[in-house]
Amino acid sequence: MSQEYNTHRTEETMKKPSLHPSLIFFFFLATLLPLILTVHSQPSSLPSNDSDFIRMSCNTTLYPDLCISSLSNFSSSVHNDSALLARAAISVTLSEALELGSYLSNVTALLKSQEENGGHPTAAAVFHDCFENLKDAVDEMRGSMKQMRDLVSTGSLESFRFQMSNVQTWLSAALTDEETCTDGFKDVKDEPRKDEVCARVDDVKKLTSNALALVNRCVDKAMH
């Protein structure tokens, strides 16, 4: 009886589906997210001073309304600090990119399965390329967050400029990867998830653009 039970359990274990490797990657990053979000989000009614700071800062971005709505919950923790606000903007962007990455990973795996059963190969390839570009963008955002978290005031303006130039470079690269992500979708026809993915990538691009603008503002304030 014991031998039959063990054999049955072994067969069940062997039949369990394994997670797609890319999905495992994003699940792993998601578990790190609480450690990455070093500026804490809290419900906020935006007191006058905090409200003015958030709005004034967001007015330097290309998408000020999105900037204000995405960062309003951080108003009580950034303390009118441009560097903390930039970190919050990067963390929000990273969180959105991770959620989109998990979704893209699932869609890519599904399309590849359909392709094996006669589905259109173009859609699977385009979604996969978009996912890979987004994964690169996530890595670059993580690099930006790490640099911002490790940012120290050494009294050296050159040191500060060097550290912040790394952040600017990584965010610019992330923005390029996000823009590249949707390039191939013009060749995809009759795929119901195409419009949703393009819209969500566009949202992440706008958040990345805002984060970069706030980093640039942080640098400008320190230089003057």
Side-chain angles (χ1 to χ4, degrees):
M1 178 68 178
S2 175
Q3 184 176 356
E4 291 180 358
Y5 174 78
N6 290 334
T7 301
H8 180 65
R9 293 289 292 175
T10 300
E11 290 175 352
E12 282 187 342
T13 302
M14 291 174 66
K15 291 178 182 178
K16 285 184 179 179
S18 58
L19 287 173
H20 191 276
S22 297
L23 188 56
I24 293 174
F25 168 81
F26 270 91
F27 281 159
F28 172 70
L29 284 184
T31 62
L32 294 180
L33 198 55
L35 300 177
I36 295 171
L37 302 182
T38 53
V39 180
H40 299 290
S41 169
Q42 298 175 354
S44 171
S45 58
L46 274 177
S48 179
N49 289 342
D50 294 333
S51 173
D52 290 342
F53 175 68
I54 295 287
R55 289 194 176 94
M56 181 177 63
S57 301
C58 285
N59 281 338
T60 65
T61 71
L62 290 177
Y63 311 100
D65 291 340
L66 175 63
C67 179
I68 293 170
S69 64
S70 64
L71 296 175
S72 60
N73 285 347
F74 293 87
S75 60
S76 62
S77 57
V78 298
H79 306 301
N80 291 2
D81 186 310
S82 295
L84 289 179
L85 184 62
R87 282 168 57 182
I90 298 171
S91 74
V92 167
T93 308
L94 179 55
S95 177
E96 290 296 317
L98 284 169
E99 287 186 15
L100 177 55
S102 293
Y103 174 75
L104 270 174
S105 179
N106 281 326
V107 172
T108 300
L110 177 62
L111 289 173
K112 284 186 175 180
S113 175
Q114 292 175 349
E115 179 186 348
E116 293 172 358
N117 295 315
H120 201 291
T122 300
V126 169
F127 274 82
H128 174 73
D129 289 345
C130 184
F131 171 77
E132 289 297 324
N133 280 301
L134 187 66
K135 188 165 67 172
D136 289 340
V138 165
D139 285 339
E140 287 145 359
M141 280 184 251
R142 290 178 64 209
S144 298
M145 274 301 296
K146 183 178 186 305
Q147 184 69 83
M148 291 295 294
R149 188 174 62 245
D150 296 342
L151 191 65
V152 292
S153 178
T154 61
S156 167
L157 186 59
E158 285 302 314
S159 175
F160 174 80
R161 289 178 60 181
F162 173 75
Q163 293 175 81
M164 294 303 287
S165 70
N166 287 337
V167 177
Q168 291 168 315
T169 298
W170 279 318
L171 287 179
S172 295
L175 193 55
T176 299
D177 284 325
E178 292 154 8
E179 290 170 349
T180 305
C181 182
T182 53
D183 283 351
F185 280 101
K186 62 182 180 295
D187 298 322
V188 176
K189 309 296 182 184
D190 302 323
E191 169 46 56
R193 286 154 293 217
K194 170 184 172 179
D195 290 341
E196 179 185 358
V197 168
C198 288
R200 292 181 66 175
V201 172
D202 190 58
D203 289 341
V204 173
K205 284 193 292 186
K206 289 176 180 177
L207 288 170
T208 306
S209 171
N210 283 351
L212 179 57
L214 292 175
V215 168
N216 292 339
R217 182 174 186 272
C218 178
V219 174
D220 289 343
K221 286 189 67 176
M223 299 293 291
H224 298 93

